[in-house]
Amino acid sequence: MAYRNGQRLPLDESGAGGSEGSGPTLRLSVNPRARRLSVRIDARAGEAVVIAPTERGLSQAVAFARSKAVWISERLAVRPKSRPLEPGQVISLRGRPVRLEAVPGAGAARLVEDGTIIRSGGEGEAYARRVENLLKREARDTLLERTDHHLRTLGQGPVKMGIADTRSRWGSCSPHNRTIRYSWRVIMAPPPVIDYLAAHEVAHLVHADHSPAYWSVVERLVGDHKPWRKWLKDYGAALHAVGR
């Protein structure tokens, strides 16, 4: 059977109708930079992403993923529940707990009490939108500063930086047009993790792959990066569940 990039399939090979079944699904992805077949869990979408370097390799990647069906099902079963941005919630900002509070009126969200409380006007979706906008501004300011810092360290020129609401990825870099995009949700992580993410994307301006030479650039920028990579792996899904 020929598979294609972006196709969705049931995890259970006996499932019928592609992704229409009620069980877990596989999303097929072709990434020319991938050096091997791999499977990752997209906690937000509730599916497993099957990655191959070429479209021809998707068949083998699907077989590999289905051989890991028990592991995939277990990982999807324990993914964090959605946490809407609403009064009373406690979220993180740069790794510190921040409580969300509502105030009368339609005022914009703002940080108060030494950054331990976010107060905002609005109700329902309007309230959530104001809080999200504040978090995006905080993310832009912090990531812009860390990106510029790492660019200077490597002697790189400026880039176009954007803040996005990605499904599961924390960032992306397009060296050909010098564009870097970050997920705003990383502003909830501790500062060393935020710094690592900026270094990770800036390093792709030097090496577009994840070769040993690439990781040596990341290490030059932030030292031992393994703890921060592990932090995102362990806690990233919980951050992606915030504001859903």
Side-chain angles (χ1 to χ4, degrees), residues 3 50 76 83 90 101 123 142 182 186 201 205 220:
Y3 298 114
V50 182
L76 289 173
R83 295 177 57 204
V90 176
E101 294 185 355
E123 297 181 357
T142 297
Y182 298 107
V186 78
E201 300 307 333
L205 296 170
R220 175 185 169 191

Side-chain angles (χ1 to χ4, degrees), residues 9-18 21 24 66:
L9 301 169
L11 175 61
D12 181 357
E13 190 172 8
S14 65
R66 284 175 169 161

Side-chain angles (χ1 to χ4, degrees), residues 42-64:
D42 185 338
R44 176 184 172 187
E47 59 190 7
V49 182
V50 182
I51 303 167
T54 66
E55 203 158 76
R56 291 181 61 185
L58 286 174
S59 178
Q60 186 179 356
V62 169
F64 171 71

Side-chain angles (χ1 to χ4, degrees), residues 5 29-38 40 51-55 169-177 179-181 200-212 214-215:
N5 186 38
S29 176
V30 174
N31 182 356
R33 297 192 304 184
R35 306 181 71 183
R36 58 184 174 81
L37 307 178
S38 63
R40 66 175 175 82
I51 303 167
T54 66
E55 203 158 76
R169 297 179 65 180
W170 291 108
S172 62
C173 176
S174 299
H176 66 284
N177 61 9
T179 298
I180 293 177
R181 298 172 74 243
H200 183 111
E201 300 307 333
V202 168
H204 277 310
L205 296 170
V206 181
H207 296 285
D209 53 19
H210 287 102
S211 63
Y214 162 80
W215 288 113

Side-chain angles (χ1 to χ4, degrees), residues 27-240:
R27 184 171 84 243
L28 310 190
S29 176
V30 174
N31 182 356
R33 297 192 304 184
R35 306 181 71 183
R36 58 184 174 81
L37 307 178
S38 63
V39 178
R40 66 175 175 82
I41 302 300
D42 185 338
R44 176 184 172 187
E47 59 190 7
V49 182
V50 182
I51 303 167
T54 66
E55 203 158 76
R56 291 181 61 185
L58 286 174
S59 178
Q60 186 179 356
V62 169
F64 171 71
R66 284 175 169 161
S67 74
K68 304 289 185 182
V70 173
W71 176 81
I72 289 172
S73 296
E74 289 175 349
R75 290 290 303 275
L76 289 173
V78 299
R79 69 186 190 273
K81 295 182 180 179
S82 298
R83 295 177 57 204
L85 294 169
E86 58 187 14
Q89 284 275 18
V90 176
I91 63 171
S92 294
L93 180 62
R94 300 182 182 88
R96 297 177 57 196
V98 177
R99 183 176 180 82
L100 305 185
E101 294 185 355
V103 294
R110 64 189 189 279
L111 281 165
V112 297
E113 303 295 334
D114 294 326
T116 61
I117 295 174
I118 293 177
R119 289 187 182 137
S120 177
E123 297 181 357
E125 291 185 4
Y127 177 89
R129 185 168 58 252
R130 287 171 170 81
V131 173
E132 182 175 319
N133 287 340
L134 181 147
L135 295 174
K136 286 179 177 178
R137 291 193 299 271
E138 294 291 322
R140 179 178 296 278
D141 290 346
T142 297
L143 287 163
L144 182 60
E145 189 275 327
R146 298 318 300 162
T147 299
D148 286 345
H149 171 81
H150 295 310
L151 288 171
R152 290 193 300 271
T153 299
L154 296 180
Q156 289 281 330
V159 298
K160 180 180 179 181
M161 195 199 84
I163 299 298
D165 188 4
T166 52
R167 293 177 63 86
S168 59
R169 297 179 65 180
W170 291 108
S172 62
C173 176
S174 299
H176 66 284
N177 61 9
R178 302 188 64 80
T179 298
I180 293 177
R181 298 172 74 243
Y182 298 107
S183 167
W184 64 264
R185 286 178 170 78
V186 78
I187 196 60
M188 293 183 278
V193 177
I194 300 172
D195 191 40
Y196 156 69
L197 178 61
H200 183 111
E201 300 307 333
V202 168
H204 277 310
L205 296 170
V206 181
H207 296 285
D209 53 19
H210 287 102
S211 63
Y214 162 80
W215 288 113
S216 70
V217 175
V218 177
E219 187 170 356
R220 175 185 169 191
L221 295 174
V222 295
D224 184 6
H225 47 78
K226 294 182 181 66
W228 318 130
R229 293 171 63 191
K230 185 177 187 302
W231 194 98
L232 283 174
K233 182 178 180 180
D234 292 345
Y235 301 105
L239 300 192
H240 276 298

